[in-house]
Every structure is written in C-alpha cells, then in structure tokens.
Amino acid sequence: MTMSTVTSADGTTIDFDAYGEGRPLILIDGATAHRAVNPLNGEVGELLTDSFRTYAYDRRGRGASTDTAPYAIQREIEDLAALIETASVESGGQPAILFGWSSGCLLALDAAAAGLPVAGLVLFEPPVVVDDVRPPLPSDYVEQLDAFVAEGRRDKAAELFMTAAAMMPAEAIPGMKQSPYWAPVEEVAHTIAYDGRIMGTTMSGNPLPADRWADVKVPVLVLYGDKTWPALSAGATAVAEHLPTATLRAIPGENHGTEAATLAPVLREFADLT
C-alpha cells in the first residue's frame, strides 16, 4: 500500500491509499464513511493487488481530506477527476473503473455523465426510491441538515440522517449515541448534506428523471444483496432499468453491505468484460 494525496481543482487536498499495480479501480464511499471507519475498501484493494491498482480515498470533508466552501457536486466530480488523472499516469494510460457504495453510486454516475474518462461503473445498492415501498425523504431534507450544522447541532443532523434516510427507528437513536459508531458520524455530519445534494430527488418516491445520467454510455453493473431491504433492491432494479448499458445482479446472502472476499471476484469479472 502507498499513501498519497491529490489536489482538486479548487485546492482541496484529497487523501488516498493505493494498493497493487494494474488497472485503476477507484472506490467511492457513501454517506459518512471514510477510511478510518470503513476498512472494507482497503480490504478489497489488498485482495486485488495482483491485477489492479485500487484507490481508497477520503471524500472531501472527511478523514484526512480537506474541504473548501461552498460545496457543489461539481467539486466532488473534480476530486474524482484528479484521482483519475493520477491513476491514468500510474497505470500507463488505462481508464479507471469506478465502484460506488450507496450514495457513492450516484456520484460515480454523475462523474461518468460529466464525461470523466472511465471504463465502467459498479454500483452497490444506490439509494433510489421510485415508489411507495418506503417513505420518501422529506422535501427539505438538505435544508434541515444545513440548518442543524449551522446551529452547531451535529447530533441532530446525524439523527435526521439515521431516521429519515437510513430508516432507523427513533427509539434506537439513544442506544446508537452510546456506541463507538456515533462520534465519527457526528464528526462528518456537515457532509451528510453533500450526499443529500447528490441524491437530489432520487429518494422522492417519484420515477427517476428521464435525462438523469442520459450521457452515461459505459457498461454499468448494479449490485444488491438478496437479503437487503426491499426498498434497496427495488432501487437497484430501477437504476438498472433506467440505464441502457446496465446489468443487474443480486449478491447471495448480503444486505446493505458485503465482504471484501465476496466483492473482489465480482469486480474482477466485471473488469474482464470491459
């Protein structure tokens, strides 16, 4: 493993670990996750060292990466552009594959739609709600998050994410606050609204806009665990049906997460086909 940084277009420092040599693979975390709390990306990188150069990075505002206000989705696309450029140089010009977890799926799609040079996308359970299988996010979800953070109430922003987005019961929150998991979530609570902006209307209960990701032309593999929540399997299906170049695949026995040993061979197989 090597540790390094890239500088994004607005001067933000993006910190990453790289594993192995070969075809570039960039792993994109979902809401609140980063390397210090999510070792899975590094574990995937370790398993693929023989044929991939895998990049596990902290999205802006999290972990060891810095942040620059004001936020815009384009800034995160530029972060990926800087990583892709580095990956291209280090791999002799090979185009990268992007892998996204949850809301990181939508960032991967936005990056491809913006024309970043990628060979393909693998998406694990994108957060999409196009029916009444679960309640939609509040229409002012992002505004509520921003207000809580501005008031210094990061705990309330984290609570809103857990209850409105992750569908945790309100009575579970006091116990969660006593767990080691809670403090890292509060620490990056200001970035939850970033993912909310990236999601846009994808969790509104309405069909995806016809023009969203219309410019994605590369192969896309949409994954979901066959033991996951019905809303997430329905969302994965909706995204796969929305994208002409997409294939849908269930991962046996998994839910809204999986193990590196399960994911690594799926990524190898996808790479062999792109």
Side-chain angles (χ1 to χ4, degrees):
M1 181 189 75
T2 59
M3 298 177 287
S4 191
T5 63
V6 294
T7 302
S8 193
D10 68 350
T12 300
T13 298
I14 302 299
D15 202 280
F16 68 88
D17 297 328
Y19 302 80
E21 301 295 335
R23 192 164 188 181
L25 170 66
I26 298 174
L27 307 178
I28 307 171
D29 273 318
T32 76
H34 54 93
R35 290 171 301 165
V37 297
N38 177 28
L40 188 56
N41 289 343
E43 293 168 2
V44 170
E46 293 285 3
L47 292 176
L48 296 174
T49 54
D50 59 325
S51 53
F52 290 87
R53 186 158 179 80
T54 302
Y55 296 81
Y57 78 104
D58 289 340
R59 287 174 55 187
R60 61 172 51 212
R62 310 182 197 177
S65 293
T66 63
D67 205 355
T68 305
Y71 179 79
I73 298 169
Q74 181 60 29
R75 302 292 83 78
E76 290 219 62
I77 294 173
E78 291 165 359
D79 299 344
L80 278 169
L83 283 165
I84 289 169
E85 182 178 359
T86 292
S88 177
V89 170
E90 293 183 347
S91 68
Q94 297 186 75
I97 293 171
L98 303 183
F99 173 87
W101 297 104
S102 192
S103 51
C105 299
L106 309 188
L107 178 55
L109 284 164
D110 286 347
L116 268 58
V118 299
L121 309 175
V122 182
L123 313 176
F124 195 93
E125 298 198 351
V128 168
V129 180
V130 295
D131 49 29
D132 60 358
V133 70
R134 57 150 282 174
L137 281 181
S139 59
D140 62 345
Y141 174 68
V142 168
E143 289 77 12
Q144 288 190 58
L145 290 169
D146 283 341
F148 285 138
V149 171
E151 295 164 4
R153 304 169 70 192
R154 287 172 174 259
D155 61 324
K156 301 301 292 184
E159 285 182 35
L160 179 62
F161 167 69
M162 291 296 175
T163 54
M167 292 295 292
M168 295 293 178
E171 57 268 25
I173 299 301
M176 294 180 70
K177 287 186 173 182
Q178 303 305 312
S179 73
Y181 169 77
W182 190 263
V185 173
E186 276 198 33
E187 184 179 352
V188 299
H190 61 291
T191 70
I192 297 173
Y194 298 178
D195 287 80
R197 286 176 169 82
I198 290 169
M199 289 189 298
T201 62
T202 63
M203 293 185 69
S204 66
N206 298 309
L208 290 167
D211 60 347
R212 181 137 195 199
W213 309 310
D215 292 329
V216 175
K217 307 300 184 184
V218 296
V220 181
L221 176 62
V222 185
L223 304 173
Y224 69 95
D226 68 357
K227 303 299 183 184
T228 199
W229 301 319
L232 290 171
S233 58
T237 301
V239 171
E241 291 176 347
H242 186 72
L243 300 168
T245 60
T247 301
L248 181 68
R249 178 171 174 179
I251 304 298
E254 301 296 353
N255 47 47
H256 195 48
T258 186
E259 297 180 351
T262 301
L263 182 59
V266 175
L267 291 168
R268 285 185 188 277
E269 180 181 336
F270 177 78
D272 288 342
L273 298 173
T274 58

